[in-house]
């Protein structure tokens, strides 16, 4: 009886995860199609400086965003009991943090603008800061949908956000609003997303703070926050250096070059995590199932990553000309290097979801510390050789970091290098074809 039950549970989890992957990929594919179309139009309507200004403001937003929920959202996804009370506690904390961050941005904005010597950044950053309070209203609803792997309903607010953001940005750009078309597009998308997620999930939170539950959630979330801080620091350090040393126009170029690998693959990995982490959490006490799930995630990711990244490398010139126009031709060599970076970045990416699922995000935190220690000197050296030097610093550091991550995975997930290579082989054959 217990064996049948266990088998039925595994089958149910597999079906849920499978449906989640399909809906998430559908949402991601359609969403990124809209984003790509929007970016292609905006690249012709706006200047490199407009994109650079928003990129600078988003750096500040990203750094502040690491404490927007202190890892409590993922702690809620991983939790197996007292869900209703835990959700209310997380909602209350998130709302307080969101309001605080939106207020903190106001006095910080001029300081950030002064660092980059771009006064326009201050008002842009203040407006974008409003997104913290807006997103806090819907974040727990999104976490609950992720926890239940209900990506069919999550599809609606995700697509609403993307479509409204794109339409608003294009409309305002045509009207001549310049950089503000990007800013108000972001805010409009966030507002619509919150409204739709409250409609599709009829859960109504109440303001409550259970100290015991909060302590348990914070214990799990602390390592997650540490990982996020390190990741955001590393991911945005290149933008800070490029913006400060080479100027806002160069930052716009570098941001645009990174956009395609991020849009087509790196963002896809983040989307898959929102399915894979809850699935791994549901089998956290079954090591063999986790091992199989991790290996399957490698095969699935590489079947997408290898053909896509090598295709971008080969076809960078016509892709940039068609999508962005001739004024962005200086992104072509950067795009080639960054597509190789994205490919290496994707190998074994979801091992972090295994560590989080088994309640050991501290392993991921230590690996990220090691990654930052590799990345900083590589980036500082690379920046001496212009934007291409920065791009190659990305690539060299990720090769070293991923080699170490895969080595650690062979110790904690009971897999071998041969196991991983077997999962990569079909993708490599497809990419060569």
């Amino acid at each position: 009886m217990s064996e049948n039950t266990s088998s039925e549970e595994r089958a149910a989890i597999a079906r849920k995860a499978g449906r989640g992957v399909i809906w998430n990929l559908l949402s991601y594919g359609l969403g990124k199609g809209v984003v790509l179309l929007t970016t292609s139009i905006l690249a012709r309507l706006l200047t490199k400086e407009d994109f650079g200004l928003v990129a600078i403001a988003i750096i500040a937003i990203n750094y502040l965003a690491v404490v927007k929920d202190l890892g409590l959202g993922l702690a809620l996804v991983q939790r197996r009991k007292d869900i209703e009370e835990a959700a209310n506690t997380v909602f209350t904390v998130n709302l307080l943090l969101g309001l605080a961050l939106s207020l903190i941005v106001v006095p910080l904005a001029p300081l950030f603008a002064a660092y980059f010597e771009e006064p326009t950044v201050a008002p842009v950053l203040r407006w974008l800061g409003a997104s913290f309070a807006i997103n806090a209203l819907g974040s727990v609803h999104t976490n609950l949908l992720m926890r239940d792997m209900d990506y069919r309903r999550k599809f609606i607010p995700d697509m609403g956000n993307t479509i409204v953001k794109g339409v608003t940005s294009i409309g305002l750009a045509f009207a001549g609003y310049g950089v503000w078309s990007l800013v108000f597009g972001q805010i409009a998308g966030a507002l619509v997303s919150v409204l739709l997620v409250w409609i599709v999930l009829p859960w109504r939170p109440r303001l409550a703070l259970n100290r015991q539950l909060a302590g348990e959630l914070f214990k799990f979330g602390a390592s997650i926050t540490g990982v996020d801080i390190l990741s955001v620091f590393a991911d945005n350090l290149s933008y800070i250096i490029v913006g400060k040393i080479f100027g806002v126009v160069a930052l716009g170029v570098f941001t645009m070059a990174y956009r395609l690998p991020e849009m087509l693959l790196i963002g896809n990995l983040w989307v898959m995590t929102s399915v894979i982490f809850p699935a791994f959490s549901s089998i956290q006490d079954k090591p063999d199932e986790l091992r199989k799930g991790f290996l399957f995630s490698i095969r699935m990711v590489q079947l997408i990553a290898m053909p896509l990244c090598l295709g971008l490398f080969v076809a960078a010139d016509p892709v940039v000309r068609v999508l962005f126009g001739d004024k962005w031709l200086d992104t072509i060599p950067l795009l080639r290097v960054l597509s190789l970076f994205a490919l290496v970045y994707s190998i074994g990416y979801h091992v972090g979801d295994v560590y989080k699922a088994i309640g050991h995000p501290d392993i991921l935190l230590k690996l990220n510390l090691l990654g930052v220690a590799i990345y900083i000197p590589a980036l500082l050296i690379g920046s001496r050789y212009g934007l291409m030097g920065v791009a190659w610093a990305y690539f060299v550091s990720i090769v070293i970091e991923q080699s170490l991550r895969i080595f650690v995975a062979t110790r904690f997930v009971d897999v071998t290098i041969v196991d991983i290579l077997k999962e990569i082989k079909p993708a490599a054959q497809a990419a060569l074809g």
Side-chain angles (χ1 to χ4, degrees):
M1 180 69 178
S2 61
E3 289 182 3
N4 290 337
T5 302
S6 178
S7 177
E8 290 172 2
E9 286 177 354
R10 287 198 296 271
I13 291 168
R15 285 194 299 271
K16 252 188 168 182
R19 287 194 297 267
V21 169
I22 291 170
W23 276 104
N24 237 10
L25 289 178
L26 177 63
S27 173
Y28 184 81
L30 291 175
K32 290 308 175 184
V34 173
V35 171
L36 190 58
L37 177 61
T38 301
T39 303
S40 181
I41 296 170
L42 291 173
R44 289 164 169 80
L45 295 174
L46 302 177
T47 66
K48 295 176 182 178
E49 186 177 7
D50 290 331
F51 282 96
L53 287 170
V54 171
I56 289 174
I58 288 177
I59 293 169
I61 295 295
N62 287 341
Y63 278 125
L64 291 172
V66 296
V67 294
K68 68 181 185 299
D69 74 346
L70 299 176
L72 300 184
L74 289 182
L76 181 62
V77 173
Q78 195 262 355
R79 193 173 181 82
R80 300 292 103 185
K81 60 181 182 178
D82 302 320
I83 302 305
E84 178 69 22
E85 197 165 358
N88 285 319
T89 295
V90 174
F91 178 84
T92 303
V93 173
N94 280 1
L95 188 58
L96 293 173
L97 284 172
L99 291 169
L101 289 171
S102 290
L103 293 173
I104 287 171
V105 166
V106 176
L108 286 182
L111 301 177
F112 209 74
Y115 175 81
F116 287 98
E117 300 176 0
E118 288 290 344
T120 310
V121 169
V124 168
L125 180 53
R126 284 174 178 146
W127 275 99
L128 286 175
S131 62
F132 287 119
I134 295 169
N135 290 328
L137 293 169
S139 60
V140 174
H141 290 74
T142 301
N143 293 142
L144 291 173
L145 290 174
M146 287 172 55
R147 185 182 182 281
D148 293 335
M149 290 186 277
D150 191 350
Y151 295 95
R152 180 177 62 85
R153 285 194 286 177
K154 186 174 178 290
F155 172 85
I156 296 172
D158 287 350
M159 282 303 298
N161 184 345
T162 301
I163 292 171
V164 169
K165 180 168 62 176
V167 170
T168 303
S169 295
I170 291 172
L172 290 174
F174 267 116
Y177 281 85
V179 67
W180 293 103
S181 60
L182 299 172
V183 175
F184 292 128
Q186 291 275 358
I187 294 173
L191 285 168
V192 169
S193 177
V194 170
L195 177 63
L196 290 175
V197 81
W198 275 65
I199 292 172
V200 300
L201 182 64
W203 175 72
R204 295 298 173 258
R206 57 185 177 82
L207 295 177
L209 187 61
N210 184 309
R211 292 185 179 182
Q212 181 180 345
L213 279 178
E216 294 173 5
L217 293 165
F218 275 121
K219 185 178 180 180
F220 180 91
S223 293
I224 298 294
T225 302
V227 169
D228 288 345
I229 289 172
L230 290 172
S231 297
V232 169
F233 173 76
D235 291 345
N236 289 275
L237 184 60
S238 60
Y239 296 139
I240 290 177
I241 291 175
V242 169
K244 181 64 176 177
I245 296 176
F246 304 112
V248 69
V249 173
L251 180 58
V253 171
F254 192 83
T255 302
M256 189 64 78
Y258 189 71
R259 182 155 296 191
L260 280 176
E262 180 184 42
M263 187 186 305
L264 298 177
L265 178 61
I266 295 173
N268 205 358
L269 298 175
W270 300 335
V271 170
M272 287 182 180
T273 289
S274 65
V275 176
I276 290 173
F277 171 54
F280 283 177
S281 294
S282 64
I283 53 172
Q284 58 187 267
D285 56 345
K286 300 179 177 68
D288 190 53
E289 296 296 323
L290 275 174
R291 176 183 176 276
K292 292 177 182 176
F294 171 59
L295 290 174
F296 177 73
S297 74
I298 293 176
R299 178 181 291 246
M300 180 173 62
V301 167
Q302 291 311 304
L303 284 171
I304 299 170
M306 280 201 175
L308 192 154
C309 290
L310 296 181
L312 273 181
F313 180 86
V314 172
D317 190 303
V319 165
V320 168
R321 290 178 188 274
V322 171
L323 291 179
F324 303 145
D326 289 347
K327 74 178 178 183
W328 295 97
L329 293 182
D330 41 3
T331 66
I332 293 171
L334 295 169
L335 174 58
R336 288 197 171 109
V337 178
L338 292 173
S339 66
L340 296 179
F341 159 80
L343 175 58
V344 177
Y345 180 86
S346 69
I347 299 174
Y349 177 84
H350 294 293
V351 71
D353 295 316
V354 176
Y355 300 145
K356 289 184 288 185
I358 62 177
H360 284 289
D362 57 294
I363 299 173
L364 192 57
L365 176 61
K366 292 170 185 174
L367 288 171
N368 277 31
L369 277 169
L370 186 61
V372 169
I374 296 167
Y375 180 66
I376 291 176
L379 190 58
L380 292 175
I381 294 170
S383 64
R384 298 178 183 177
Y385 303 93
L387 292 183
M388 282 298 291
V390 174
W392 278 112
Y394 261 65
F395 178 71
V396 172
S397 60
I398 200 63
V399 168
I400 299 170
E401 183 182 348
Q402 288 299 86
S403 300
L404 293 171
R405 284 175 180 267
I406 290 172
F407 174 76
V408 172
T410 62
R411 297 293 184 270
F412 285 93
V413 193
D414 193 26
V415 295
T416 66
I417 299 295
V418 174
D419 292 331
I420 293 172
L421 290 176
K422 284 180 180 178
E423 300 302 323
I424 294 175
K425 182 180 177 181
Q429 292 172 334
L432 289 173

